[in-house]
Amino acid sequence: MSAIAAPLKKTLNVALIQLSAGFDKAKNLNHFKTHILKAIGESKNKLDLVVLPECFNSPYSVSEFRNYAETIPDGETTQFLSAIAKEHQIFLVGGSIPELDKTNDKIYNTSVTFDPQGKIVGKHRKAHLFDIDIKGGITFKESITLTGGDKATVYDLDGFGKVGLGICYDIRFPELAQIAARSPNDSFAMIYPGAFNTTTGPLHWHLLARARAIDNQIYTIVCSPARDLNSGYHAYGHSLVVDPYGKIIAEAGEGEEIVYAQLDPELITKVRQGIPINYQRRFDIYNNVVDGATVSDV
Ligand SMILES: NC(=O)CC(=O)C(=O)O
């Protein structure tokens, strides 16, 4: 067995900002800024990374996405987040916002990550749109106004290592996390700003976050809006950090809250040494999965 690479190079201190967002964009931005500063001030360790939830500057509503959409990188929210990251010397995953692409007039659900100089180091457009219809539960169709992105996203948090990023429904498709975790990408975490709801959250939120961690022996970080029963979409809450064993190491409740976690560089190596699935994969059996694998006859 060859040496196990260390995808996370040093301890990483992270805070997840679980807040709700209403119709007033300026108020949403200031609410988040106040809590990012609170997290920086209150954290017992110097924060390296702050993560915001899906659609943190707007209501999570198909009919509102276009009204709130901004261009990236010159739009108000991107500039706002870049300035915070730079001033406070943090990596900042800017949840997601509705993005207007002026080249095709389409709207995307997009997450942008900034480095401590305020520079954009990662951008992901939600690839799998949330189109569901659960009888007696929730009906939602993002594709009425949104277009899906067409790429998996992996980028470097300089000094720490690489991460993959997906948005909410993307977590249900294990391939994005596999792409991020496998060589040559070798990410130490998948980060998902996500707004599950009171139907699908209790069913699958914890399971999916834990599954992506166990499948790939990486950390998963899922950051939700807080639940607001006066809004049109009832987010599940329960922002989580899951370790590479699949253990939940930090969890919020349903309301507005900041949760903190410390990611341990040695844990991924330890898990991979103990349960060496990375070296036991049988690509000879399942390398056809995209085209339809051949299965054995009796
Ligand atoms: N809101 C989403 O994109 C996904 C979700 O709520 C779910 O998968 O459940």
Side-chain angles (χ1 to χ4, degrees):
M1 194 188 293
S2 48
I4 297 182
L8 176 59
K9 312 227 174 308
K10 59 182 177 188
T11 303
L12 181 132
N13 293 300
V14 58
L16 282 51
I17 314 286
Q18 177 174 298
L19 303 176
S20 55
F23 283 88
D24 184 335
K25 190 192 276 188
K27 208 166 152 190
N28 295 335
L29 293 182
N30 283 325
H31 193 41
F32 272 91
K33 181 170 181 181
T34 305
H35 283 76
I36 294 168
L37 300 193
K38 187 165 183 256
I40 292 169
E42 285 183 356
S43 172
K44 60 177 196 289
N45 303 300
K46 190 205 161 298
L47 281 182
D48 303 301
L49 172 67
V50 174
V51 183
L52 311 185
E54 182 175 26
C55 282
F56 80 96
N57 75 352
S58 71
Y60 186 50
S61 160
V62 168
S63 57
E64 296 294 346
F65 289 139
R66 188 167 280 275
N67 299 334
Y68 285 79
E70 298 177 19
T71 50
I72 295 173
D74 51 332
E76 176 192 0
T77 303
T78 308
Q79 295 297 315
F80 180 83
L81 294 178
S82 163
I84 296 176
K86 186 171 176 186
E87 187 179 344
H88 299 283
Q89 300 278 291
I90 48 168
F91 287 99
L92 178 58
V93 174
S96 80
I97 63 168
E99 176 200 3
L100 169 65
D101 184 338
K102 282 197 170 152
T103 64
N104 55 16
D105 196 39
K106 289 184 173 162
I107 311 291
Y108 299 86
N109 185 343
T110 303
S111 180
V112 179
T113 297
F114 304 86
D115 72 7
Q117 287 74 50
K119 199 174 112 228
I120 294 178
V121 290
K123 175 177 160 183
H124 178 74
R125 288 174 164 171
K126 187 173 186 172
H128 305 91
L129 296 182
F130 183 46
D131 285 0
I132 62 154
D133 183 13
I134 301 179
K135 303 279 170 279
I138 179 174
T139 299
F140 205 89
K141 199 160 187 216
E142 280 187 322
S143 65
I144 293 173
T145 48
L146 295 181
T147 300
D150 57 6
K151 285 186 187 63
T153 301
V154 176
Y155 53 88
D156 197 30
L157 299 184
D158 192 28
F160 293 94
K162 288 185 192 163
V163 293
L165 196 130
I167 300 175
C168 203
Y169 201 51
D170 285 337
I171 198 174
R172 291 185 180 272
F173 300 85
E175 291 82 358
L176 294 185
Q178 289 169 6
I179 290 168
R182 300 266 162 82
S183 182
N185 294 318
D186 296 319
S187 300
F188 65 86
M190 269 307 285
I191 302 176
Y192 298 97
F196 273 38
N197 49 77
T198 48
T199 303
T200 61
L203 284 171
H204 294 150
W205 175 256
H206 295 80
L207 277 175
L208 286 164
R210 297 183 70 196
R212 296 297 80 86
I214 298 164
D215 289 345
N216 300 295
Q217 300 178 313
I218 55 172
Y219 284 91
T220 53
I221 296 172
V222 284
C223 186
S224 169
R227 190 171 309 168
D228 173 3
L229 294 177
N230 296 316
S231 74
Y233 184 89
H234 298 164
Y236 182 52
H238 293 277
S239 298
L240 298 173
V241 180
V242 182
D243 81 10
Y245 274 123
K247 186 172 145 209
I248 294 169
I249 57 169
E251 175 168 3
E254 293 157 6
E256 300 211 324
E257 196 176 328
I258 303 171
V259 288
Y260 302 91
Q262 188 164 74
L263 276 52
D264 172 1
E266 276 157 32
L267 194 62
I268 298 178
T269 313
K270 187 174 165 202
V271 172
R272 291 181 183 183
Q273 261 158 358
I275 309 173
I277 55 174
N278 259 4
Y279 299 96
Q280 296 167 336
R281 289 206 169 86
R282 293 285 309 274
F283 289 109
D284 57 318
I285 296 176
Y286 38 74
N287 63 357
N288 262 341
V289 74
V290 174
D291 305 322
T294 310
V295 294
S296 67
D297 302 327
V298 182

